Amino acid sequence: MSEAKCPVAHGANSNMEKSSTDWWPKNLNLDILHQHDQKTKPFNGTYNYREEVKKLDFKALEADMHKLMKESQDWWPADWGTYAGLMVRLAWHSAGTYRTADGRGGGGTGDHRFAPLNSWPDNTNLDKARRLLWPIKKKYGNKISWADLMILAGNIGYESTGFKTFGFSYGREDIWHPNKDIYWGPETEALASDRHSDKEDASSLESPLAANHMALIYVNPEGFEGNPDPLKTAQHIRETFARMAMNDEETVALTAGGHTIGKTHGNGNADNLEAEPEGAAINEQGLGWMNNTSRGVGRDTVTSGIEGAWTTEPTKFDNGYFDMLFKYEWELKKSPAGAWQYEPINIKEEDKPVDVEDPSIRYNPIMTDADMAMIKDPIYLEISKKFHNDHEYFCDAFARAWFKLTHRDMGPRSRYIGHDLPNEDLIWQDPVPAGTPSFDVEQLKEKIRNSELTVQELVSTAWDSARTFRGSDLRGGANGARIRFSPQKNWKGNEPQRLSKVLDILEPLAKEAGASIADTIVLAGNVGLEKAIEAAGFNVPVPFNPGRGDASEDMTDSESFSQLEPIHDGFRNWQKDNYEVRGEELLLDRAHLLGLTAVEMTVLVGGMRALGANYGENKHGVFTDQVGALTTDFFVNLLDMSNKWKASNGHYEIIDRKTNNVKWTATSTDLVFGSNSILRSYAEVYAQDDNKEKFVIDFVKAWNKVMNADRFELNNN
């Protein structure tokens, strides 16, 4: 009997037919700006997690979490009767994807629940940790997010072993659809490593990546590409952790603190593990790496393939890691699952950790290639000795590094929620003093209006100050006015000479008015914009919310801020260099980090071109004879069929079809708004005769969004 033909249109709900991107891979894919809208969320528009979590009984939740740590469940038994090690690993691997280059990754969204992260081999069996947490999530419901719960699980895990953490903040809001905006690498298979231009040079790791291999969080614990070599591994550890904003001391502290408790799992045949969660059979109900061939739990669990604990007492946060590391010589061996690991030579029986199920059985402890790097690399060795000799100092260093790891992507301390918040301002939190909202705004506006500064200078300076904001890790933005300090004041993209001129005029005006410089820079941009709106024949006010503060140089980590330097800005039609990535793709990346929709990106580009706010006053894309007026001319002339378009020496010319004269020049970032079918549909809206005022109103709204992106007290985020 033949199978009946399926009556469903497969392309509507499966991958059985090619998408537009598959058919035309060079087409600009705008999906990055369309994800995480209200349609993906199971709540209505009135639900606000950051307000809900404030109603949570924090101490009751944490008491339940402590209880969970000790309640071993038959379906996934706890090692030595505690889930502390498993929960620490869950938090670590949730937070550990963060990278400084673009601020993406990290534990702030609960993305660990979704593919590809939930199915990476480095996250094997962390699906079990989330299932163990489900009864608590079920009980506390909408008042606790998965993102908060997974990080909290790590903190509680450590506390249950006797460690005092630095503190904890709630407030991470879940996403409800996998993040498709994060580039995890060029490889097409897990554990591959095609991301170094020179595999002997760790620093050649492709930006913005931080991990050495596809589907690993950091480095391969067996050694780079699975080849044990502690000194080479040390180079890659240093590069990887630096790209996570960690220095050498923090790196050693995190490595040692992470390996002080718990164990690795490789006591079995890895070939018996079935598919990862996303590829598992439907009856597994989202669990992956199941072993239905042999016993695969307890002492017989296979996770990383490395087998053993690092310390004699893996359920206590003690000095055991360094004691073990320095007390014995270590030799390279293979685990039962076939993974490279180091085991001690002539170890005393009493120094061996006991079996997770039977305390009468003892096994050798182990070290990974990464652990051996802590004593083979000269710099790491000195830090390790220091920690070994001063356990209290080590505990403090680890507590701070762990807090940084798990909170780095949460933004400033003002966003923290909860009862166990540290009081100390930490420089990596980019502290900004409170602003002074009580000054005469109209009087200051008038003085700025009467200054010699042009519309382009006012708008460009405000934009450059605000465009550093990254919604990925909530860093940057206009608040703090760090554009005054190194490294920002010297960034090529900020046109240092123009910036210096503008600041020399605005700073005295700010002082005289009693306003912060941060507020004054944004207000000046608004003044320039209002001039342009008037020149276009409209009267649309530009909202202004005072209250920004001025950071000092002492509050500014210049090395950390160097990661925020723009190497491109399609809104001002500028690139620092020529890149393999197209200009329109770079524009898309910047728009996403700014939290813009595709429509907002469109209206801002068209408006900035009309304002003449291009970098260095270049004329590409300035399709208007009314430069400085907020008109729709960019869209009107881009879509005008009396023109034709021609490539010319790295840019494009817009030519009058009748006279054959060049009217304007453009970049691909300009022309994409006519060539991409989705962007063209938006451009057509703004080119219509009846939407000139709508364009002004929409531009002002999008502008205000960028200027206030880092005003978390206004945005309720």
Side-chain angles (χ1 to χ4, degrees), residues 29 219 384 614:
N29 186 349
V219 299
S384 294
N614 278 357

Side-chain angles (χ1 to χ4, degrees), residues 327-638:
K327 187 174 182 178
Y328 293 104
E329 296 296 322
W330 297 82
E331 62 181 343
L332 197 59
K333 289 191 173 183
K334 281 288 186 82
S335 74
W340 287 115
Q341 61 187 46
Y342 294 83
E343 296 184 27
I345 299 172
N346 297 326
I347 185 173
K348 295 178 180 179
E349 188 69 16
E350 63 266 26
D351 284 345
K352 295 180 179 181
V354 301
D355 179 70
V356 297
E357 298 180 55
D358 184 350
S360 69
I361 303 172
R362 290 181 179 268
Y363 297 105
N364 274 350
I366 59 92
M367 294 287 167
T368 69
D369 210 55
D371 296 308
M372 300 310 296
M374 298 298 106
I375 56 173
K376 297 299 184 182
D377 177 87
I379 297 174
Y380 289 160
L381 173 60
E382 289 306 308
I383 297 170
S384 294
K385 287 179 178 178
K386 183 177 182 180
F387 285 158
H388 187 210
N389 294 328
D390 191 341
H391 184 62
E392 186 176 339
Y393 181 78
F394 163 60
C395 287
D396 181 68
F398 174 68
R400 291 171 178 273
W402 174 259
F403 183 81
K404 182 178 180 180
L405 173 73
T406 53
H407 290 74
R408 178 77 196 202
D409 58 347
M410 285 195 71
R413 190 161 68 93
S414 61
R415 297 187 70 251
Y416 290 179
I417 296 170
H419 69 104
D420 187 24
L421 306 178
N423 294 320
E424 186 177 342
D425 270 326
L426 304 167
I427 195 165
W428 57 263
Q429 295 169 324
D430 304 334
V432 176
T436 307
S438 56
F439 63 91
D440 192 327
V441 172
E442 292 304 318
Q443 186 179 74
L444 180 54
K445 283 178 67 175
E446 191 61 27
K447 289 182 178 180
I448 295 170
R449 180 182 285 271
N450 292 331
S451 73
E452 65 183 70
L453 297 173
T454 65
V455 166
Q456 291 75 26
E457 289 170 332
L458 294 168
V459 167
S460 296
T461 302
W463 178 266
D464 290 350
S465 182
R467 72 175 170 195
T468 53
F469 178 76
R470 304 194 308 197
S472 53
D473 58 357
L474 307 180
R475 299 191 68 207
N479 199 8
R482 287 187 166 91
I483 198 170
R484 298 168 294 148
F485 306 133
S486 294
Q488 293 194 37
K489 69 178 183 180
N490 299 316
W491 286 345
K492 183 177 180 181
N494 285 344
E495 298 178 278
Q497 188 173 353
R498 183 262 303 160
L499 175 61
S500 178
K501 172 190 173 182
V502 174
L503 291 178
D504 284 347
I505 293 173
L506 293 183
E507 287 179 344
L509 296 182
K511 184 176 181 180
E512 184 181 348
S516 69
I517 300 169
D519 268 344
T520 303
I521 291 171
V522 172
L523 185 62
N526 287 8
V527 169
L529 186 52
E530 287 180 348
K531 283 185 175 183
I533 292 170
E534 292 169 9
F538 297 101
N539 181 21
V540 177
V542 182
F544 176 72
N545 297 99
R548 297 169 185 82
D550 290 333
S552 66
E553 287 195 82
D554 290 342
M555 298 174 181
T556 304
D557 183 351
S558 59
E559 183 177 349
S560 173
F561 265 93
S562 66
Q563 299 288 343
L564 273 66
E565 179 181 4
I567 60 170
H568 59 86
D569 185 357
F571 295 96
R572 296 193 62 214
N573 225 349
W574 170 77
Q575 287 185 202
K576 188 176 182 179
D577 208 340
N578 293 320
Y579 305 104
E580 291 182 9
V581 180
R582 294 173 292 163
E584 54 270 34
E585 293 174 306
L586 295 172
L587 168 67
L588 207 62
D589 182 73
R590 175 66 55 186
H592 177 258
L593 288 174
L594 285 170
L596 300 173
T597 66
V599 176
E600 290 167 337
M601 178 184 75
T602 300
V603 74
L604 282 169
V605 168
M608 294 290 275
R609 297 294 188 274
L611 294 172
N614 278 357
Y615 176 88
E617 299 182 356
N618 82 74
K619 301 302 180 184
H620 293 325
V622 185
F623 307 150
T624 181
D625 297 324
Q626 307 175 72
V627 179
L630 192 60
T631 66
T632 60
D633 287 359
F634 173 82
F635 303 110
V636 170
N637 291 313
L638 177 66

Side-chain angles (χ1 to χ4, degrees), residues 275-291:
E276 66 283 349
E278 289 297 309
I282 197 169
N283 57 284
E284 298 291 5
Q285 287 294 280
L287 287 179
W289 305 289
M290 301 301 289
N291 183 348

Side-chain angles (χ1 to χ4, degrees), residues 89-229:
R89 181 168 165 255
L90 175 66
W92 193 300
H93 284 224
S94 180
T97 53
Y98 173 80
R99 66 227 190 166
T100 58
D102 59 5
R104 294 188 171 103
T109 64
D111 196 23
H112 205 269
R113 293 133 64 216
F114 304 122
L117 299 181
N118 70 351
S119 294
W120 276 3
D122 213 15
N123 292 329
T124 301
N125 290 328
L126 290 179
D127 53 339
K128 318 305 188 299
R130 290 191 298 273
R131 291 297 174 89
L132 290 167
L133 289 173
W134 166 242
I136 289 182
K137 179 68 174 81
K138 179 177 182 292
K139 176 179 178 178
Y140 290 92
N142 297 338
K143 292 184 176 65
I144 185 69
S145 67
W146 273 109
D148 274 344
L149 192 61
M150 288 189 285
I151 300 298
L152 178 63
N155 262 39
I156 300 297
Y158 272 122
E159 290 177 2
S160 72
T161 65
F163 180 70
K164 179 66 176 76
T165 61
F166 194 69
F168 180 80
S169 171
Y170 295 85
R172 301 166 185 83
E173 183 177 3
D174 285 335
I175 56 173
W176 297 95
H177 187 273
N179 263 325
K180 294 185 176 180
D181 56 298
I182 301 180
Y183 171 64
W184 294 120
E187 301 88 354
T188 57
E189 63 180 67
L191 304 184
S193 181
D194 300 325
R195 52 187 63 193
H196 294 82
S197 57
D198 179 358
K199 292 190 177 182
E200 298 304 311
D201 179 7
S203 66
S204 70
L205 178 64
E206 178 187 347
S207 183
L209 304 176
N212 283 168
H213 297 257
M214 167 59 71
L216 291 187
I217 306 299
Y218 305 122
V219 299
N220 190 327
E222 296 183 71
F224 183 66
E225 296 190 322
N227 301 310
D229 184 344

